[in-house]
Amino acid sequence: MDRGLTLSDARARRPDLEIHPADPPADDRALTALADWASRYTPLVAIDRSAHEATRAAPGLVLDITGCAHLFGGEAGLLADLAGRLGRRGLSAAAAIADTPAAARAILLSGHITDSPPVVPPGGNEKAVRRLPAQALEADPATAALLDRLGLKRIGQLAGLPRETLAARFGTDLLTRLDRALGRAGEPLSPLKSPPVFTVERLFAEPIRLIEDVERTIDHLAASLTEPLVRHGQGARQLVLTLFRLDTTALRIATGLSRPSRDAAVMAALLRERLTAFQDGFDSGEGIEQVRLAAEAVDPLGPEQMTGGQMTGAPAAGASPASGLAPDPGGRDDVALAHLADRLTARLGRDRVVRILRRDSHIPERAMATAPALGNRCDPARPNPARPNPARPNPDRPEAAARFRPHPGRAPERPLRLLQTPEPIEAIAAVPDGPPVRFYWRRVQRRIVRAEGPERIAPEWWRMTGPGGDGDALTRDYFRVEDEAGRRYWVYRAGLYGRETAAPRWYLHGLFG
Amino acid sequence: MPKRAELATLRDRIARLEAQEAAKTRFDTPASTRFAARPAVPLGVDRLDDRLGGGLLPGALHEIRSADADGPLAFGFALALAARLTAANREVSAHSPAPHSPLRGTTLIVSTFDGAGEWGRPYGPGLAAFGLDPDTLLLVEARRPREALWAAEEGLACRALSAVVTEIRGDPPLVDLTATRRLVLRAARSGVTAILVRPGTADGLSAARTRWRIVPHAVTDPAASTLSSEEAPSKAPSEASLETPLATPFPLCLSPPAWEADLERNAAPGASRPGGRFSLMWTAHDNRFTDAASLSANHRSGDRYGQNGSRAALSGAAPAASAAGAAGATTGGSVIPIRHAG
């Protein structure tokens, strides 16, 4: 069975073939999960797709284990550990260690031809690579065929030729590949994640399974993370908890903080909250053998905030801005609010805990937007200069912010609640521009006894054209109406009678309190 | 049936005792966790404030019920209470600039998917026009009542908040005496006021200190109602009459929001006080309630057809009235006379 074989051919050879459709995204996810897991060996893990492009071999993982091997009993020990764990998981994998990623890859690709050892000792790279077949360089098929015809079977033969000749005959690509395999040229590695500076972890002799044990570990790790953060004057803004399972999968739990913190209680409580969100869905697999807590994003945090807010939202002692100025009286509230937003977000999700942003638009549904409470500083008086809060009124256009405010003796001009999409209603109204006299909404007749309006809202002409524009938008005449029971609705007529449409339709858009 | 009724009565008595118990624990908690008791916040209507013993008590649970169809009204009333509490906080901190009394300005609004789907989400410009600064609001949308209760409890633990408004539609069994009691205790410990909005609930038990039932405040203008009932059916009996120009048979003018609020439970510590029905109107510009019964008479005497006269009568201040008129003219509000074809 080879790659590229058609299904009918394959079936002809093996009638009992089990067939699964290819699912590249799932493959990708699985590989990424494996890469996450492999970060137990080294923080620098990259997914290697170079082999994939040239020879259509499956992509692999490249681990930069510089300075890590001794933790696993040397390079051979690390390789054995890796192979053993993957094998127990039921994954067949080949692995090799060499000075450069290209050399290791070449050894793997020619593994079935030569019996080269999987671990090349330091300094033995060139010697090992020279013995390998030239195909291991993964040159494009035309070049590979040419090399074969010319009798250049081994990398050593190629390395012996003058560089100018090689470049002239086979192109610079082959030369680059040769240099990389021999360690003469470097190869950039793009790790999945840049290694976090602040990391603490815990290994278990006996795997843990219970969520309670994980929670205790979180408390312990959060306490140990505080110390390096204090030493460097930093506070965590993004925490990632990685649970390494026995079955070579890893569970990543990330949580954000709206203001930097290194308070162990705060950090632990947020992570516990995220764990609670799993509820029954928490799956420790065959057990968790290692837990790591990393602060993947940090911000400078002055020493005066060391004792930061407690989890009950109690005032923090002398909280002050990161610049180290005098504490402000409102700062304690600010911290408490930020912690509240963090806790709510950790459990409910970013899109469920929001603040209101004003938008300068006449179209009602565009006049308001929401932003996750986590992303914005909760203190309106002291916005983070790095993250301008769009909710603040623009000083150049004060009228935009003050457009809707209470007026004495008048009903509010906008409803308290806006329906997510305007609902069509059957209305009877005076033409051309009278308010509805009565209408049906949700199968109940509402007879109007008072109204205010119309308030004309025209479509924004600058949005009328282009993809996704409101090309067929109609002018709306809004009315605030009250039915005989005393309930109030915000309704509009879509389209100007006689000009835009012959039979304007009516919609209900909002409800007054 | 009689057994059930008896049971309900007993449960209600227990609930009252529980509420008193909760009120007591407010003063029994250790000094370190106790929040300095704050005075009741007068709502602005003397008759109601007397009945409540000075006003709405902060750091307590207040429950607002309504028929399911009146959910938006109950929500509006709750927001008015929250705006009143926030304004009171602001007044207090403006008069006593003590460094240790932080300005409690933020209101947490917890709603559920259910309510948002039925009546829409809270709308920023509408909240601003209602007297609530959108910058001081934190909105939470919960998937289930369980999450909403959890979020409310978290919010009540945060002393930086002024109030937590939680809307839970219908009668989920989860919202019971125990759950409301938890809210009472949390609110008492932190001094944050809990307002629970329960549209469509029948007669579930609750440990709330006050319990209100909100009914729409119908227009009591006899002229307007006769006009609409006489003219509307005769002139607009069917879809066909859409083509016929109609005269608008009702006033083109709305009064500020108003509710009929039945105070069903009014439990001051130690003794229960009687409730009663109040017609309350919300004057958003100064964050106070006024008596809608006295105002609607005033309103009636003004021009029904939306001219400036009724505004002046309502606001009682000439500069304010003219400002309102000017604003109305620029925003295309009700002061523009409507001309009908035909």
Side-chain angles (χ1 to χ4, degrees), chain B residues 238-263:
Chain B
S238 67
E239 291 284 320
S241 68
L242 272 171
E243 297 302 317
T244 331
L246 296 175
T248 305
F250 43 74
L252 282 165
C253 166
L254 289 182
S255 55
W259 307 269
E260 294 292 322
D262 275 327
L263 184 55

Side-chain angles (χ1 to χ4, degrees), chain A residues 273 279 311-315 329-330 332-334 336-337 340-341 343-345 347-349 351-356 358 363-368 370 373 378 380 391-393 401 403-420 423 426-438 441-442 446-456 479-488 490 497 502-503 506 510-513, chain B residues 69-73 75-76 79 99-104 106 108 111 113 115-131 133-135 137-144 147 150-151 154-155 157-161 167 216-219 221 224 228-229 232-233 236-239 241-257 259 284-285 299 311 314-315 320 324 327-328 331-334 338-341:
Chain A
E273 215 59 82
Q279 288 177 351
M311 285 317 292
T312 47
R332 305 184 299 170
D333 269 16
D334 188 16
L337 272 179
L340 174 67
R343 277 199 310 284
L344 293 172
T345 308
R347 174 84 164 259
L348 303 174
D351 302 332
R352 301 255 162 71
V353 186
V354 296
R355 301 197 140 248
I356 296 173
R358 289 193 193 90
I363 307 297
E365 56 269 33
R366 292 203 187 112
M368 168 187 153
T370 53
C378 288
R392 304 312 310 158
R403 216 169 133 221
F404 298 108
R405 55 163 194 268
H407 295 292
R410 291 185 53 192
E413 288 174 24
R414 289 288 180 267
L416 274 181
R417 314 181 76 141
L418 196 72
L419 294 181
Q420 287 160 40
E423 294 182 11
E426 274 174 46
I428 294 172
V431 288
D433 60 355
V437 177
R438 55 175 137 151
W441 176 55
R442 293 183 181 166
R446 333 262 162 168
R447 194 151 62 199
I448 304 308
V449 297
R450 283 163 188 242
E452 261 186 8
E455 179 185 346
R456 179 154 296 175
F479 289 91
R480 301 181 281 278
V481 298
E482 182 176 321
D483 70 6
E484 56 194 342
R487 305 183 183 114
R488 291 179 178 186
W490 206 36
Y497 181 78
W506 284 86
L511 298 165
F512 291 91
Chain B
D70 294 326
L73 288 169
F75 183 67
L79 288 187
H100 296 299
S101 70
L103 186 129
R104 295 151 162 259
T106 303
L108 178 72
S111 53
F113 267 13
E118 182 77 7
W119 301 306
R121 298 205 166 98
Y123 181 52
L127 294 163
F130 201 76
D133 181 358
D135 287 351
L137 300 177
L138 193 60
L139 306 183
V140 168
E141 200 167 290
R143 277 163 288 224
R144 287 176 291 275
E147 276 185 359
W150 172 82
E154 287 292 311
C158 176
R159 286 161 198 243
L161 291 179
E167 181 186 71
H217 177 75
V219 185
D221 187 341
S228 62
S229 59
S238 67
E239 291 284 320
S241 68
L242 272 171
E243 297 302 317
T244 331
L246 296 175
T248 305
F250 43 74
L252 282 165
C253 166
L254 289 182
S255 55
W259 307 269
H285 67 286
H299 195 239
R311 299 254 162 66
L314 268 175
S315 62
T331 53
S334 65
I338 309 295
R339 203 180 63 209
H340 298 283

Side-chain angles (χ1 to χ4, degrees), chain B residues 44-267:
Chain B
V45 176
D46 291 344
R47 196 168 67 92
L48 175 59
D49 287 336
D50 285 349
R51 201 63 67 81
L52 287 171
L56 199 71
L57 194 74
L61 172 67
H62 305 282
E63 190 171 317
I64 295 153
R65 298 179 174 188
S66 76
D68 191 51
D70 294 326
L73 288 169
F75 183 67
F77 184 68
L79 288 187
L81 291 180
R84 179 74 204 107
L85 289 166
T86 308
N89 280 338
R90 214 172 287 137
E91 282 158 21
V92 166
S93 40
H95 289 127
S96 63
H100 296 299
S101 70
L103 186 129
R104 295 151 162 259
T106 303
T107 301
L108 178 72
I109 299 179
V110 183
S111 53
T112 50
F113 267 13
D114 195 14
E118 182 77 7
W119 301 306
R121 298 205 166 98
Y123 181 52
L127 294 163
F130 201 76
L132 280 161
D133 181 358
D135 287 351
T136 64
L137 300 177
L138 193 60
L139 306 183
V140 168
E141 200 167 290
R143 277 163 288 224
R144 287 176 291 275
R146 179 189 297 276
E147 276 185 359
L149 284 175
W150 172 82
E153 281 185 26
E154 287 292 311
L156 288 174
C158 176
R159 286 161 198 243
L161 291 179
S162 134
V164 176
V165 177
T166 313
E167 181 186 71
I168 298 177
R169 192 180 166 215
D171 246 333
L174 200 65
V175 188
D176 57 1
L177 197 57
T178 320
T180 49
R181 187 135 190 269
R182 286 173 65 101
L183 295 179
V184 167
L185 292 172
R186 287 257 181 161
R189 202 170 299 147
S190 65
V192 181
T193 312
I195 303 174
L196 185 61
V197 188
R198 301 188 60 191
T201 187
D203 48 1
L205 290 174
S206 148
R209 184 188 179 87
T210 64
R211 200 171 70 204
W212 309 71
R213 185 167 288 276
I214 297 298
V215 179
H217 177 75
V219 185
T220 49
D221 187 341
S225 51
T226 47
L227 267 173
S228 62
S229 59
E230 281 168 15
E231 284 183 36
S234 62
K235 287 211 172 180
S238 67
E239 291 284 320
S241 68
L242 272 171
E243 297 302 317
T244 331
L246 296 175
T248 305
F250 43 74
L252 282 165
C253 166
L254 289 182
S255 55
W259 307 269
E260 294 292 322
D262 275 327
L263 184 55
E264 290 184 339
R265 177 198 286 169
N266 178 16

